[in-house]
Amino acid sequence: VTPGLYFKPYACCTATHYAADAALALRAEHHLRAEDIAAVRVVFPPAGDTPLTVTDPATGLEGRFSVEYVLAAALVDGALGLSLFDERAAREDLRSFGRLVSRAYDADAPRASTDPQTRFSTVEVRLHDGRQLSRRVQGLSRARDLAAKYADTTAQQPDALRAVPALVGRMHSRDDLLQLTALFSLVHA
């Protein structure tokens, strides 16, 4: 009941989400272009990047656990769609940009734990013109547009699955549930 359902906004490790939100905000606020960026530093609380074991992913699946890849996608594309994190080869442009990213730790912060108050990321961007930009995000964001998230998630699935949100919204009977089950069986066909 409390805190209720939580839908992740991005299809990558939650430990990257704070940095992703910070990078997306900086990109939007300052109209950043990849070619303007000289370096990126992401600051974690101690142990805040423990699950982020990959720095240069070979596949999108590995990219889920790479803050370097996630930040590259956020700053280059301005989006973190599901297709970035599938079994295909990681995008070379994002891998290359990810090499501009370094990690650091705030020694004065409490060690990251399951308590959300101990989790944050600060993204610092140095531009070629010498400017330094910084954004700290503490607290997880939630997926804002569940319809868009569903559409992104099912983009490579049978077209019939597009009917699921409307069906769930009007579901009142056993027949509706059977129809929903039949639609989901298309995924495994």
Side-chain angles (χ1 to χ4, degrees), residues 102-125:
S102 63
R103 300 183 192 197
Y105 306 94
D106 181 345
D108 296 328
R111 185 174 177 82
S113 71
T114 56
D115 176 0
Q117 296 306 313
T118 66
R119 297 185 165 268
F120 68 87
S121 289
T122 302
V123 173
E124 301 167 347
V125 176

Side-chain angles (χ1 to χ4, degrees), residues 26 29 31-32 75 87 122 150 154 161-162 170 174:
L26 286 169
E29 181 180 339
H31 309 288
L32 296 178
L75 291 167
E87 67 281 346
T122 302
Y150 181 80
T154 59
L161 288 180
R162 292 192 182 105
R170 70 173 193 282
R174 181 178 183 271

